Amino acid sequence: MELMVLFNALVTRLLFVLHSLIGVWRVTAAKKEPKYWLLALLNLLLCLETGLTLKFKQGRGYKWFSPAIFLYLICTVPSLWLLEIHHGTQYCGNEPGAVQVNISNEDFNQSRDSSHGSEGTDHHIIQTAKVFVNQLSRICETVWTLALHQTFLLLLVVGRWLLPIGVEITRDQLSQLLLMFVGTAADILEFASETLDIEDVRKNYALINAILAVWTWSMLQFPLDLAVQHIGCKPKSTRQIPSLLLCRYSAELWNIGVSLFIQDGPFFIVRSILMGHFGIFNQMLVFFTAKNILVVTLQLYRLAVISLDFHATILQKSRKGEVSCCPCEPYEASTHAASEQDTEMREFVAFPPKEESQAPLEDQ
């Protein structure tokens, strides 16, 4: 096992565990109930996945799916749910969005004076850390929740970058995936912060749960890598239109499906309900609703273009007597009589085969 692969696999999962524990700590501090520390037990699943990955995959990733990212979602999402629900009853004494972490000189002087005893420098470091933690605890709860949302999404992107890749995905595909994740994370953060910060939404407990459910549903795209990988197929197995279409445009179709059913589609539905049913209107809500409409329309237009291009390609190949599954795997037509696969392909595209000219009987 390569040393760098092992280092990246362990460090990334350690960052996931630390961030999850910070979220559990904030839930326990907000609820003031120690029983919420039981949420930290979810990290045992991530530890188990780490051991299995190191043993069976030598620290490298899997094809199409990242168990580490999925388990990180399981460990962190419950804490963010509880903080957002609790956030509805919390109000900051400072201005909205203000962060005041003032560690005064008196606090440091007290910690420095107390460290002049037998403990020495080690005791001074411990006392300074305690002062810093106490100051962090004074930060407004809404600011803590927003910071956890932001670091959560950033760590998903950075963690996917640091995690060792498997043999099935290339560096080029990983770079494309990371760029997609950056834009996706920005949209998801905007959806959660913009909708949950509306005062009328905070007064409706059921509406908060619905928004958090859609937010959780949108996060499920991060463990998947299908948006940059093509599904391999063989000419013999492609006898139907859906199979041929999926073979050639698997990555594009997955990208369209994610946008329509996991992200922009659900976001548009939620925002439309807020405006149409609850009568909630503001400038940003209207703007992002229009943006979702535009994205959904463009994705449907892209789907139509792919369908037309696929149909035209099939007809062109059938006229030439060729069978092709993917652009990179052409099927070489034999110089002999038409094979059985060619006959099935012609029947499949409903293109009438060319009638062979029959010679007159007297010429035979």
Side-chain angles (χ1 to χ4, degrees), residues 45-328:
L45 297 174
L46 191 57
C47 296
L48 178 61
E49 182 273 338
T50 302
L52 295 177
T53 301
L54 294 178
K55 180 178 181 181
F56 295 104
K57 298 288 290 184
Q58 289 73 47
R60 296 193 175 274
Y62 296 81
K63 184 178 182 180
W64 299 339
F65 183 74
S66 176
I69 297 293
F70 179 72
L71 292 176
Y72 176 48
L73 295 178
I74 293 178
C75 296
T76 310
V77 168
S79 299
L80 293 177
W81 265 72
L82 293 172
L83 287 175
E84 288 292 356
I85 294 175
H86 183 73
H87 174 89
T89 60
Q90 301 298 311
Y91 298 94
C92 295
N94 302 327
E95 295 180 359
V99 183
Q100 296 183 359
V101 186
N102 298 322
I103 303 179
S104 61
N105 293 330
E106 296 180 358
D107 294 332
F108 276 114
N109 292 333
Q110 291 177 0
S111 63
R112 189 178 295 108
D113 294 339
S114 62
S115 64
H116 289 320
S118 59
E119 297 293 337
T121 305
D122 294 338
H123 184 70
H124 169 63
I125 295 176
I126 295 176
Q127 291 296 327
T128 304
K130 289 181 178 180
V131 172
F132 184 72
V133 172
N134 290 334
Q135 292 292 333
L136 288 179
S137 300
R138 300 176 187 176
I139 298 178
C140 178
E141 199 62 45
T142 58
V143 177
W144 259 113
T145 303
L146 180 60
L148 287 174
H149 269 287
Q150 294 170 339
T151 53
F152 178 44
L153 292 169
L154 289 176
L155 196 55
L156 281 172
V157 179
V158 175
R160 189 63 187 87
W161 190 6
L162 294 178
L163 283 174
I165 61 176
V167 295
E168 297 85 0
I169 183 172
T170 63
R171 294 288 181 182
D172 178 65
Q173 291 174 336
L174 178 61
S175 62
Q176 296 178 30
L177 186 67
L178 293 174
L179 289 174
M180 293 174 55
F181 279 175
V182 170
T184 298
D187 288 342
I188 292 176
L189 178 62
E190 177 278 324
F191 171 77
S193 60
E194 179 260 331
T195 54
L196 291 175
D197 284 345
I198 300 176
E199 183 178 356
D200 293 336
V201 172
R202 282 295 175 187
K203 298 177 181 179
N204 193 324
Y205 183 79
L207 195 56
I208 293 176
N209 288 330
I211 293 174
L212 290 176
V214 174
W215 169 77
T216 305
W217 171 250
S218 67
M219 299 296 295
L220 296 179
Q221 58 186 297
F222 284 98
L224 300 173
D225 301 338
L226 290 174
V228 294
Q229 297 192 45
H230 289 276
I231 299 176
C233 56
K234 299 179 180 180
K236 293 183 180 179
S237 62
T238 55
R239 305 274 180 90
Q240 297 179 353
I241 289 181
S243 299
L244 284 171
L245 186 62
L246 184 61
C247 168
R248 177 170 298 183
Y249 300 104
S250 58
E252 290 84 352
L253 292 177
W254 172 253
N255 193 8
I256 293 173
V258 166
S259 178
L260 294 179
F261 300 106
I262 298 183
Q263 186 170 331
D264 290 286
F267 289 179
F268 166 68
I269 293 174
V270 171
R271 288 172 172 137
S272 299
I273 293 175
L274 291 178
M275 293 189 299
H277 185 269
F278 293 95
I280 300 174
F281 290 92
N282 59 55
Q283 185 177 2
M284 297 303 296
L285 184 61
V286 174
F287 171 78
F288 284 108
T289 303
K291 177 252 186 186
N292 292 140
I293 295 175
L294 181 60
V295 172
V296 170
T297 303
L298 292 176
Q299 293 291 2
L300 292 176
Y301 174 73
R302 174 61 180 164
L303 183 62
V305 171
I306 289 175
S307 301
L308 294 175
D309 179 70
F310 172 75
H311 182 67
T313 303
I314 290 297
L315 291 180
Q316 183 180 5
K317 293 293 184 181
S318 64
R319 290 192 183 98
K320 295 181 180 180
E322 299 177 355
V323 179
S324 176
C325 171
C326 298
C328 57

